[in-house]
Amino acid sequence: NAGVMQNPRHLVRRRGQEARLRCSPMKGHSHVYWYRQLPEEGLKFMVYLQKENIIDESGMPKERFSAEFPKEGPSILRIQQVVRGDSAAYFCASSPRESSHLMNTEAFFGQGTRLTVV
Amino acid sequence: AQSVTQLDSHVSVSEGTPVLLRCNYSSSYSPSLFWYVQHPNKGLQLLLKYTSAATLVKGINGFEAEFKKSETSFHLTKPSAHMSDAAEYFCVVIPTSGNTGKLIFGQGTTLQVKP
């Protein structure tokens, strides 16, 4: 039973390019969360998605960032026109249940994608 | 607003001595609390969780934590540190009311274990 799979593990982009980060949740999980970890900081919530729906995107920057979780395939976090400040580790987590029950389960995290903008 | 504060950014112990990583939380409701560990260049692994059952929670690798409502604390302890415990530790809260599954992370505590 594979865990949460994120790819690529490392991504280097030049300023102005687009970055696409992929997350395949654990089998049977239909809830996906994206977090960003800046250097020397804890993880900050970005967005919560269910299949084909964005449930909570209160942590997403208003511009250049978008996320989707299509019916088929992985969840994608897309960053357009990247800037140096976007350099961070981006973690995806998945859970099998609705968010209101999250306290009785746990979110399983992927190993993260480390984005470096040069 | 819910939040967690990890009181130490770095903790250094000798192998075989006790570990104490401190965490205080702020929540209007009875929270769910977690400790996660992150080894270098790895993902996060759940150590233990408190979800309003027993206040003393035992986790993996000999770690445990005690929920103290009167002190709003959820400190992580281990009787005897091992070299493999060197990692980053995060205290995490999930508010139980009106939440959308957002995990609120503390800033992390780096545990160094000296031989």
Side-chain angles (χ1 to χ4, degrees), chain A residues 24 28 66 70 89 91 93 99 104 106:
Chain A
S24 297
S66 62
F91 287 92
S99 60
N104 292 319
E106 64 181 268

Side-chain angles (χ1 to χ4, degrees), chain B residues 3-6 11 19-20 23 27-28 31 34 38 41 43-44 54 60 63 67 71 73 84 86-87 93-94 112-113:
Chain B
S3 66
V4 287
T5 301
Q6 292 182 243
V11 169
V19 176
L20 170 64
C23 172
S27 177
S28 303
F34 301 68
Q38 182 181 28
N41 297 314
L44 288 97
I60 61 171
F63 284 94
F67 175 73
E71 300 176 9
S73 69
S84 61
V93 66
I94 302 178
Q112 179 187 22
V113 181

Side-chain angles (χ1 to χ4, degrees), chain B residues 48-115:
Chain B
L48 50 81
K49 60 183 176 182
Y50 166 76
T51 55
S52 73
T55 56
L56 182 61
V57 181
K58 294 188 184 299
I60 61 171
N61 301 335
F63 284 94
E64 62 182 40
E66 186 172 6
F67 175 73
K68 292 186 177 180
K69 188 175 181 179
S70 60
E71 300 176 9
T72 61
S73 69
F74 190 57
H75 301 335
L76 182 70
T77 60
K78 183 173 180 177
S80 176
H82 191 273
M83 294 298 291
S84 61
D85 294 328
E88 186 87 7
Y89 291 80
F90 293 99
C91 183
V92 177
V93 66
I94 302 178
T96 57
S97 174
N99 79 83
T100 57
K102 287 190 278 192
L103 303 181
I104 299 171
F105 281 75
Q107 291 172 310
T109 298
T110 302
L111 176 63
Q112 179 187 22
V113 181
K114 296 178 289 186

